[in-house]
Amino acid sequence: MLLGLRISNVAVIEEVEVAFGAGLTVLTGETGAGKSILVDALGLLLGGRADADVIRAGCEEASVEGVFARTPALETRLEELGLPDLGEEVLVRRVLGRTGRGKAYVNGSLVTVGVLGKLTRGAVDIAGQHEHVSLFDSGLHRVLLDRYGNLEDVLAAFFREYTGLREVDARMEALGGDEAKVRERAEFLRFQLDEITRLDPEAGEDARLDAERKRLGGAEKLKRHASEAELLVSGEEQSAVETVGRALGLVHESVKCDATLAPVAQALSTALSELEEAQRRLNRYVEGLESDPSRLADVEERLDALKRLCRKHGTHLDGLLTKRGEIEVELGTLENRKEILEELAADRRKVEERARKAAAALTRARAASAVAFAAQVREGLGQLAMGKAAFEVRVTPSEALRPDGMDDVEFFFSANPGEPPRALAKVASGGEASRLLLALKKALADSDGGGCYILDEADAGVSGAIADVVGRMIKDVSSHRQVLCITHLPQVAAYADAHLLIRKGLKGERTVSEVVVLEAGAERTRELARMMSGVEVTREALGAAEALVRSANRALGTRARRESGPEGAPRGRLRRTA
């Protein structure tokens, strides 16, 4: 849902800021007042192409800012694209420069226009601007049909079988290739395995060898230090043992006179015992420590061999041991390749049969949904004075299995009797596109994921009673989704929850357009009267406008007021971002 829009220095718009509420918002005004500029500006927020010619004369840059309500789809895309999430709103900004270099921002973060388009794709549908109408994108027709028919479970059942098929294919592909390449691969693996097996490394061996190398390499130094330490602990003169022993004898004599020194005597006794034990260990260490140049050479050679092999395979010793296991598995598979391939081929035939059965069930479900969907769209077109228009949903099965089944789904349309239906994007334009979009949206109202629909002159080519039907239908769609509708017909505008007037005037010697929120009552009635009678608003036109509003209210019946306030007054606001 679009909560707000701010446009600066775009064409005749100097500065416009408007907030939008839920339900139906209509935009009216004289031809050329700037209604379509708002739509074009919104298209820039959807990743549309930018042209420096849209920048207001005398300005170096133009900007468009929009605030969207954060939907689950937008939340997911923010995470997938690595964009900041600021809470309940998503702030989007597009800046155009006179030099042609522009910038785009999402929640204050600088992004490319491509990323901007990925984020906002599907959030807004704009009729009349085909590059932004997701319903006219044939690549989405299959998705829309599946949503309409609630085919998620059928599609999921097929996808499970398809995933199994791809897994078997991946295993067969890993065993594929010509015999010469397979033999070459097997020989290479044997060489690697033989090299590792000859060395026969053990887990943790490198750490143990490194410790032994350090000990052997410093044997003389260690022996000298240990001997000196032993002498200091228990030498003949001024050794630690002798010193502590004398101290212990003195304290023992003192305890006879003062028993409070008993703990000191105990501590000295313990220290003496520890020193004597240390002396014995040092003695054993010195006696057992011998330099062994031959063993040192063997250790260093073994360590070097381990390090070279680890570097060769780009890993550490534990990784090398893992690599050996992987090589053994792959080599065993290649050596038994023929038998394994035969088993996989048999498995594949079974899995493919299940996948094709699931795909056929999906095709049947889509075909049934296509008939119902096309009939509902044609019914809507008939209500919109296009009763002779043709609309078809073609489900064309193919032999190839894809992640979405084996069907090509595309919408076909013809507005003129006798003309064969053609691909939707090639034939619908202008008012036809808007009315077709309206009929499609009405049919998809309960399943379509779009949050905001922009209908640019959906009433083109209709009048009178048909215009009233258009208004009712747009109102009905707006009960499911936010709708912004540019209209020239008072019969449509009468159904609005909120009414925005786009008018052009002079500011100094410059032409500017502004957006005025019309309050319910006199302001709105006067605009409806202007739409009926032209520049001069007559008393009769005012009376007819009042009658039109009363008629629309009666047609709608009693409806609960929206949270946005009386008459669906616009709510939400824009916040500045980088």
Side-chain angles (χ1 to χ4, degrees), residues 67 74 114 118 135 149 159 191 314 435 441 514 552:
V67 179
L74 283 177
K118 289 179 181 178
L135 285 180
F159 188 71
F191 169 77
R435 280 183 282 168
K441 287 299 185 183
E514 62 176 347

Side-chain angles (χ1 to χ4, degrees), residues 242-255 264-270 272:
E242 182 184 357
T243 301
V244 173
R246 287 202 305 269
L248 179 59
L250 292 172
V251 174
H252 269 308
E253 288 297 323
S254 299
V255 168
V264 176
Q266 181 61 41
L268 287 171
S269 179
T270 301
L272 183 59

Side-chain angles (χ1 to χ4, degrees), residues 231 234-239 242:
L231 186 62
S234 60
E236 294 181 357
E237 296 180 2
Q238 299 299 320
S239 67
E242 182 184 357

Side-chain angles (χ1 to χ4, degrees), residues 294-550:
S294 177
R295 175 57 184 168
L296 177 60
D298 290 343
V299 169
E300 289 180 339
E301 183 179 355
R302 177 73 176 175
L303 269 175
D304 288 342
L306 288 172
K307 290 178 179 178
R308 281 197 305 271
L309 196 56
C310 287
R311 284 197 299 269
K312 187 173 183 178
H313 289 275
T315 184
H316 45 73
L317 184 58
D318 289 343
L320 186 64
L321 296 173
T322 302
K323 179 75 171 179
R324 178 168 63 180
E326 293 172 349
I327 291 174
E328 289 173 343
V329 171
E330 185 179 355
L331 184 58
T333 300
L334 292 178
E335 289 175 341
N336 298 285
R337 173 175 174 268
K338 184 177 180 180
E339 293 79 1
I340 296 174
L341 277 174
E342 289 176 354
E343 293 177 2
L344 287 175
D347 288 343
R348 191 188 189 286
R349 286 190 292 271
K350 296 177 182 178
V351 175
E352 182 178 5
E353 183 179 359
R354 293 199 302 268
R356 290 195 175 277
K357 285 183 179 179
L362 182 58
T363 297
R364 291 192 296 271
R366 283 173 174 161
S369 296
V371 172
F373 179 54
Q376 195 168 348
V377 172
R378 286 194 295 269
E379 179 183 352
L381 290 172
Q383 296 173 350
L384 296 170
M386 297 180 71
K388 296 184 179 180
F391 179 81
E392 300 177 6
V393 180
R394 296 182 184 176
V395 180
T396 308
S398 64
E399 287 300 315
L401 290 170
R402 302 188 301 263
D404 56 14
M406 58 181 185
D407 306 316
D408 294 319
V409 178
E410 189 167 6
F411 299 165
F412 283 75
F413 174 75
S414 174
N416 303 310
E419 291 293 326
R422 298 170 59 196
L424 189 63
K426 297 180 180 178
V427 294
S429 61
E432 290 177 357
S434 295
R435 280 183 282 168
L436 175 58
L437 177 64
L438 180 58
L440 288 165
K441 287 299 185 183
K442 188 174 186 298
L444 291 165
D446 292 330
S447 57
D448 184 23
C452 177
Y453 306 151
I454 311 294
L455 303 177
D456 191 353
E457 299 189 16
D459 49 36
V462 300
S463 59
I466 299 301
D468 183 68
V469 173
V470 169
R472 293 189 193 187
M473 189 175 293
I474 294 174
K475 184 66 176 180
D476 184 47
V477 171
S478 74
S479 65
H480 301 273
R481 296 289 186 272
Q482 180 189 40
V483 178
L484 309 182
C485 178
I486 295 176
T487 181
H488 288 286
L489 286 180
Q491 292 95 330
V492 173
Y495 285 91
D497 293 307
H499 193 146
L500 305 179
L501 171 63
I502 317 299
R503 63 188 181 192
K504 185 185 295 184
L506 290 176
K507 185 178 181 180
E509 297 182 356
R510 297 291 302 277
T511 300
V512 295
S513 289
E514 62 176 347
V515 179
V516 179
V517 179
L518 299 182
E519 298 295 335
E523 287 186 351
R524 187 177 170 200
T525 302
R526 186 171 185 81
E527 172 59 11
L528 293 178
R530 182 202 63 77
M531 297 171 72
M532 290 179 174
S533 63
V535 177
E536 184 179 352
V537 178
T538 64
R539 182 180 302 174
E540 291 78 5
L542 285 171
E546 291 173 352
L548 195 61
V549 172
R550 289 194 298 270

Side-chain angles (χ1 to χ4, degrees), residues 68-327:
F68 295 88
R70 189 188 66 173
T71 61
L74 283 177
E75 183 179 0
T76 300
R77 291 178 190 174
L78 286 172
E79 182 177 355
E80 291 175 348
L81 297 170
L83 299 173
D85 190 338
L86 301 183
E88 297 303 314
E89 298 175 352
V90 178
L91 287 74
V92 179
R93 187 180 183 215
R94 183 89 178 267
V95 180
L96 311 180
R98 181 69 68 181
T99 61
R101 299 181 62 182
K103 297 179 181 179
Y105 301 87
V106 174
N107 286 340
S109 179
L110 185 65
V111 299
T112 65
V113 174
V115 169
L116 180 65
K118 289 179 181 178
L119 175 70
T120 57
R121 184 172 185 242
V124 177
D125 277 318
I126 306 179
Q129 304 289 335
H130 282 189
E131 61 271 27
H132 296 308
V133 182
S134 63
L135 285 180
F136 293 168
D137 180 356
S138 61
L140 294 177
H141 291 176
R142 195 267 313 157
V143 176
L144 295 175
L145 181 62
D146 288 352
R147 285 181 185 168
Y148 175 82
N150 294 318
L151 304 183
E152 290 81 4
D153 291 342
V154 184
L155 181 60
F158 162 76
F159 188 71
R160 284 194 296 270
E161 300 297 343
Y162 175 82
T163 301
L165 182 62
R166 292 283 72 83
E167 290 174 353
V168 175
D169 285 341
R171 293 172 62 191
M172 294 183 70
E173 185 178 351
L175 292 172
D178 57 44
E179 289 297 331
K181 289 184 178 179
V182 171
R183 286 195 299 271
E184 182 180 346
R185 175 65 177 170
E187 287 299 324
F188 175 68
L189 291 175
R190 288 191 192 98
F191 169 77
Q192 286 189 317
L193 183 59
D194 182 63
E195 191 176 36
I196 298 174
T197 302
R198 283 200 311 270
L199 191 60
D200 194 22
E202 298 177 359
E205 183 182 4
D206 52 349
R208 293 195 302 272
L209 287 172
D210 188 58
E212 185 178 0
R213 178 184 61 81
K214 290 178 180 178
R215 186 171 62 253
L216 290 170
E220 293 298 329
K221 183 179 179 180
L222 290 170
K223 189 172 185 178
R224 185 175 66 252
H225 288 175
S227 297
E228 291 178 1
E230 183 185 10
L231 186 62
L232 290 171
V233 171
S234 60
E236 294 181 357
E237 296 180 2
Q238 299 299 320
S239 67
V241 170
E242 182 184 357
T243 301
V244 173
R246 287 202 305 269
L248 179 59
L250 292 172
V251 174
H252 269 308
E253 288 297 323
S254 299
V255 168
K256 295 176 181 178
C257 298
D258 187 355
T260 60
L261 287 174
V264 176
Q266 181 61 41
L268 287 171
S269 179
T270 301
L272 183 59
S273 297
E274 293 290 339
L275 284 170
E276 290 171 343
E277 176 62 24
Q279 181 273 327
R280 287 190 290 272
R281 289 187 179 184
L282 282 171
N283 182 262
R284 289 196 297 269
Y285 181 80
V286 170
E287 290 178 353
L289 189 61
E290 296 290 342
S291 60
D292 189 347
S294 177
R295 175 57 184 168
L296 177 60
D298 290 343
V299 169
E300 289 180 339
E301 183 179 355
R302 177 73 176 175
L303 269 175
D304 288 342
L306 288 172
K307 290 178 179 178
R308 281 197 305 271
L309 196 56
C310 287
R311 284 197 299 269
K312 187 173 183 178
H313 289 275
T315 184
H316 45 73
L317 184 58
D318 289 343
L320 186 64
L321 296 173
T322 302
K323 179 75 171 179
R324 178 168 63 180
E326 293 172 349
I327 291 174

